[in-house]
């Protein structure tokens, strides 16, 4: 006996075929994604997305781009010269790492990119990085240029709320030090508070 809600045999066949088709498409999509992950030697795409082209001004007032540093390991840190704590500590440990690497440190270029270009002129950057190590290069630029570089490195930076007095404000920012390979691609990052000795030990692997 056939009830009104039952599908006719051909309708049921059609429905089953439709379901098989959807399942097939889903499986194919999963397979394509898995193959792409397997073929990707540098890991998931999110990791590759850190870094990229930038155009900035170095602490001698010269325009520079990411291409100027190819062939060397880069330590990229975003901060600002008025930072009371995180930045000086990070720069201090970078200096310790460079000294620990000795002659091999010539293939390592540490960059301090400002997130506060309004106050951090090339001259200010130059005076600041010189306190830590002669190899550290300070980078600044227009607000558009430094914002673009921060975006490329997925760095968060924002003027702290509550400090409305002009030229007396703090900037909250990401405290990671990015290690970029000689080909300009992301290799690793050091969390804030990593010691210079640990940095040197890990950097030796890529030198
Ligand atoms: Ni800082």
């Amino acid at each position: 006996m056939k009830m009104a809600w039952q599908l006719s045999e051909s309708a049921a066949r059609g429905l089953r075929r439709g379901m098989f088709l959807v399942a097939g498409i889903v499986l194919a999509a999963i397979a394509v994604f898995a193959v792409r992950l397997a073929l990707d030697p540098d890991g998931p795409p999110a990791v590759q997305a850190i870094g990229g082209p930038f155009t900035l001004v170095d602490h001698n007032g010269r325009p520079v781009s990411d291409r100027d540093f190819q062939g060397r390991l880069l330590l990229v840190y975003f901060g600002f010269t008025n930072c009371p704590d995180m930045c000086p500590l990070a720069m201090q440990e970078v200096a310790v790492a460079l000294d620990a690497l000795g002659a091999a440190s010539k293939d390592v270029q540490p960059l301090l990119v400002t997130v506060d270009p309004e106050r951090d002129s090339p001259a200010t950057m130059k005076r600041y990085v010189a306190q830590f190590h002669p190899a550290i290069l300070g980078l600044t630029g227009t607000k558009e240029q430094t914002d673009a570089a921060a975006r490329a490195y997925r760095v968060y930076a924002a003027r702290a709320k509550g400090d409305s007095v002009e030229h007396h404000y703090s900037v909250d920012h990401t405290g990671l030090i990015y290690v970029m390979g000689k080909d300009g691609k992301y290799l690793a990052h050091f969390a804030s508070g990593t010691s210079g000795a640990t940095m040197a030990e890990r950097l030796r692997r890529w030198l």
Side-chain angles (χ1 to χ4, degrees):
M1 194 184 84
K2 206 164 193 166
M3 299 201 22
W5 53 266
Q6 281 183 313
L7 293 168
S8 74
E9 209 143 298
S10 71
R13 253 202 313 275
L15 191 64
R16 264 199 304 277
R17 220 175 296 144
M19 271 158 32
F20 276 122
L21 189 65
V22 169
I25 289 168
V26 168
L27 281 177
I30 290 170
V32 166
F33 184 69
V35 166
R36 281 180 58 179
L37 267 188
L39 289 178
D40 185 350
D42 298 321
V47 168
Q48 281 189 318
I50 293 174
F54 60 76
T55 313
L56 294 161
V57 177
D58 77 11
H59 67 213
N60 295 309
R62 279 190 289 256
V64 288
S65 82
D66 53 297
R67 289 183 301 278
D68 295 317
F69 304 107
Q70 292 210 346
R72 308 178 72 197
L73 278 187
L74 283 187
L75 295 179
V76 186
Y77 185 80
F78 287 80
F80 65 113
T81 64
N82 283 282
C83 178
D85 39 40
M86 240 168 39
C87 295
L89 277 176
M91 291 300 100
Q92 213 170 295
E93 293 309 317
V94 164
V96 169
L98 292 171
D99 290 340
L101 286 170
S105 73
K106 71 177 195 321
D107 290 325
V108 180
Q109 177 60 65
L111 302 176
L112 171 63
V113 185
T114 188
V115 292
D116 186 18
E118 283 101 338
R119 288 185 297 185
D120 289 341
S121 67
T124 306
M125 294 300 284
K126 187 172 186 164
R127 268 197 310 275
Y128 183 75
V129 295
Q131 297 172 34
F132 300 99
H133 198 284
I136 302 173
L137 189 65
L139 300 181
T140 183
T142 63
K143 177 107 171 58
E144 288 70 30
Q145 287 177 316
T146 60
D147 281 354
R151 266 197 309 277
Y153 279 81
R154 305 281 183 263
V155 162
Y156 166 82
R159 198 185 280 211
K161 289 197 179 78
D163 300 330
S164 55
V165 185
E166 201 171 0
H167 289 281
H168 288 91
Y169 55 85
S170 187
V171 185
D172 299 326
H173 64 94
T174 305
L176 302 177
I177 299 175
Y178 295 100
V179 185
M180 308 303 284
K182 293 180 178 181
D183 58 358
K185 292 215 177 97
Y186 169 91
L187 283 177
H189 63 262
F190 299 132
S192 144
T194 304
S195 76
T198 302
M199 288 185 207
E201 201 181 296
R202 292 188 60 193
L203 287 172
R204 273 198 195 92
R205 267 190 264 167
W206 298 300
L207 283 167

